[in-house]
Amino acid sequence: MAHANVERNDLVPDTRIPDLEGLMGKGYLIPAPVLPVNRFRSIVLPTPMATRQADLPTALVVYDASGRQAARRFLGRLPRCHAIAIDVDELLATDATHALPSGYGHMELIYDFRDGGGADGWLHALFRYHDRQGMHAAETSFGAHIFNTVITYRSEPQSYSGPPPGLSTRLFLRLDIDGREAFCQLIYPASTPWHQNSSTALILHDSTGSEIAREVARIPCSGSLLWRPREIFGRSRLTLASGGGYVLVRDLTCRLFGYQGLCEREQAFSLDDMFGF
């Protein structure tokens, strides 16, 4: 079960948001993984957060890990009481492997005002992932932000460590726990075109905070990277970090969004968003 959204009754629609597109491109967006399509089904359910949000004028965009757009669907002005969940399998039609050459990617839920509608910047969604083999499922949820543009609107692009715009990344990934293997998907969302590739440092630390190893990843703009620490650092270096070690994800060139999880013998898994500073 995903963590529940907090319903708010102090928000009203912001009539300026529909006009942001000319300045801030996609503006507010929610990025979430499309896990490897040969193993998982990825499903999204747009949800209102504010009690005064009457409708949800939205579209769903799917990107390959390379950053190439694979599909886009206008969802319409979804009524507040809707129960429409979008299965990415259906959006990619019958040949998901052709649509996503990398085998995985990510989705972005965005506002789309072609038929009108209101918005408050607090667009949220639930994401559900089904394992096709083991039938296990995991859920997560998150809300919209503006990513990777120098133009600021209210507190966006958000920064955890200072005033906007937030244009850098500091995330922490815990390592394997009790035999459960950690994995992470880093997404490079951009409301407007940004640097062609990220310059992302993956820094392995032990429990005292001492650096053991460092690798650099290049993630395409509007692309993503799905990885496991053992694939990046090898088991010998992970052994040095066991017992409280972690990976610091650091990037000074762009704001990444991350999801983390644990796998148990490829039978069960968890998934949730990563908070950073």
Side-chain angles (χ1 to χ4, degrees):
M1 176 66 69
H3 57 266
N5 288 334
V6 179
E7 191 174 60
R8 295 185 59 167
N9 58 14
D10 60 336
L11 297 172
V12 296
D14 184 345
T15 58
R16 295 170 293 179
I17 290 178
D19 298 325
L20 293 179
E21 185 174 353
L23 293 173
M24 309 186 81
K26 290 180 286 187
Y28 289 94
L29 62 91
I30 310 174
V34 174
L35 293 180
V37 292
N38 63 346
R39 180 68 185 268
F40 298 95
R41 291 174 57 210
S42 301
I43 300 168
V44 56
L45 175 69
T47 59
M49 186 179 189
T51 57
R52 301 185 193 183
Q53 186 72 51
D55 53 20
L56 300 168
T58 54
L60 184 65
V61 190
V62 177
Y63 294 92
D64 182 61
S66 65
R68 182 183 64 83
Q69 181 175 310
R72 179 178 177 133
R73 176 182 292 176
F74 174 54
L75 305 181
R77 290 179 62 177
L78 298 174
R80 177 180 179 82
C81 61
H82 86 94
I84 300 173
I86 301 91
D87 191 325
V88 172
D89 278 3
E90 298 174 2
L91 190 60
L92 297 177
T94 58
D95 192 354
T97 302
H98 176 74
L100 298 178
S102 302
Y104 71 96
H106 83 280
M107 63 182 110
E108 293 179 4
L109 189 68
I110 62 175
Y111 286 122
D112 191 318
F113 299 101
R114 70 183 72 180
D115 288 346
D120 55 18
W122 284 84
L123 178 65
H124 276 64
L126 298 174
F127 302 95
R128 185 175 178 88
Y129 300 90
H130 286 269
D131 186 340
R132 301 181 194 275
Q133 298 179 19
M135 300 306 295
H136 187 77
E139 296 177 346
T140 186
S141 63
F142 204 72
H145 289 288
I146 295 173
F147 287 89
N148 293 310
T149 176
V150 295
I151 303 172
T152 60
Y153 180 69
R154 292 186 168 180
S155 61
E156 299 285 350
Q158 189 181 94
S159 172
Y160 288 110
S161 58
L167 301 173
S168 62
T169 303
R170 185 186 288 111
L171 298 170
F172 297 88
L173 175 68
R174 61 183 178 181
L175 296 177
D176 303 357
I177 299 176
D178 297 331
R180 300 175 178 89
E181 184 178 18
F183 68 93
C184 173
Q185 184 160 350
L186 297 173
I187 301 171
Y188 181 179
S191 296
T192 59
W194 202 241
H195 300 296
Q196 184 174 0
N197 294 284
S198 74
S199 181
T200 308
L202 306 176
I203 310 168
L204 180 65
H205 293 262
D206 64 18
S207 60
T208 69
S210 299
E211 181 177 328
I212 296 174
R214 176 185 299 240
E215 301 290 342
V216 175
R218 306 282 183 183
I219 305 172
C221 188
S222 291
S224 59
L225 176 67
L226 179 61
W227 58 283
R228 303 188 183 199
R230 63 174 170 83
E231 298 168 345
I232 300 296
F233 299 107
R235 294 194 180 278
S236 60
R237 290 191 291 186
L238 282 182
T239 299
L240 296 176
S242 62
Y246 60 93
V247 177
L248 169 63
V249 179
R250 191 76 171 104
D251 199 311
L252 299 177
T253 66
C254 64
R255 178 68 178 272
L256 303 175
F257 198 80
Y259 286 82
Q260 63 183 335
L262 292 170
C263 288
E264 185 173 14
R265 299 186 299 277
E266 301 297 337
Q267 295 177 357
F269 68 101
S270 64
L271 186 72
D272 203 1
D273 57 87
M274 300 170 70
F275 284 93
F277 303 93

